[in-house]
Amino acid sequence: DRVEAIERLVAVHEKTSGRDRDRVSRKEWKPIKLALKSALDQLGIDAELAGNLKRGFASSPPLTLQERIERMAALYCDQWNQDDRDLLKGLGSMITARNDIVHGRLVDNIDHLAVERLRAQVIFEKLFLSFVDCPEFHSSGYAQLSISSLERRLAGHDDG
């Protein structure tokens, strides 16, 4: 799956650039975590529930996959053409389509999957080629043309 490939590429980028997935640094998270646990103790809720909630505070909330992709793309997208940058606007829809498939949800429109598959393909290619320092590569534009054509067709389905 292309979205999985993007996620693996982002993980490699994070590892090689010294970044992590934490929304808040570990140093900043520690006093927050302690304050949250203390606040739970004062609520007088069931000990089992409090324990489960406290385990949730063990580490900083992670960035979402979309935020991680956007963070990586921000480093490179100034080298991309506008059509490629515009594809990033559909990251949420792309990730939702992947999640629908992974979690076995019924997909009611195959064209929607085709759009998101192509979007993931182009985004992966752009991120990968940027990551390996190949910014001069430009795609033929076929994928973007296919995406815009399918999106127009989908808009027609929505109107009818």
Side-chain angles (χ1 to χ4, degrees):
D1 171 78
R2 289 162 176 85
V3 177
E4 298 297 325
I6 293 170
E7 189 170 12
R8 297 289 75 77
L9 177 61
V10 170
V12 168
H13 174 261
E14 289 167 342
K15 183 114 175 132
T16 60
S17 66
R19 295 175 182 243
D20 58 35
R21 300 173 188 185
D22 294 336
R23 188 171 296 281
V24 179
S25 74
R26 289 186 173 117
K27 182 179 177 182
E28 292 174 315
W29 181 246
K30 189 172 182 175
I32 296 168
K33 169 179 67 173
L34 295 173
L36 289 169
K37 287 181 176 184
S38 176
L40 269 177
D41 290 337
Q42 296 180 18
L43 289 176
I45 60 175
D46 175 70
E48 184 179 347
L49 175 59
N52 288 335
L53 292 169
K54 286 179 181 181
R55 277 190 289 286
F57 300 144
S59 58
S60 170
L63 295 170
T64 65
L65 176 58
Q66 181 171 341
E67 290 168 326
R68 293 169 59 217
I69 294 169
E70 288 170 342
R71 180 175 66 176
M72 181 180 178
L75 297 174
Y76 304 116
C77 69
D78 62 326
Q79 303 167 9
W80 300 356
N81 67 44
Q82 188 61 48
D83 288 336
D84 292 334
R85 287 193 299 268
D86 287 345
L87 289 174
L88 295 171
K89 294 175 186 173
L91 280 176
S93 181
M94 178 188 79
I95 293 167
T96 298
R98 185 278 309 259
N99 290 342
D100 288 348
I101 293 168
V102 168
H103 298 292
R105 295 185 199 109
L106 179 64
V107 177
D108 60 353
N109 191 323
I110 197 71
D111 287 339
H112 176 67
L113 287 181
V115 167
E116 301 314 329
R117 184 192 67 77
L118 284 169
R119 181 185 318 279
Q121 177 181 329
V122 176
I123 290 172
F124 175 81
E125 289 172 0
K126 295 305 294 186
L127 287 173
F128 178 77
L129 290 168
S130 296
F131 180 68
V132 297
D133 199 24
C134 226
E136 67 280 351
F137 175 81
H138 297 286
S139 62
S140 68
Y142 172 77
Q144 288 92 333
L145 182 63
S146 297
I147 290 169
S148 64
S149 173
L150 285 166
E151 286 177 333
R152 280 193 304 278
R153 187 172 355 155
L154 285 170
H157 282 33
D158 293 340
D159 294 339

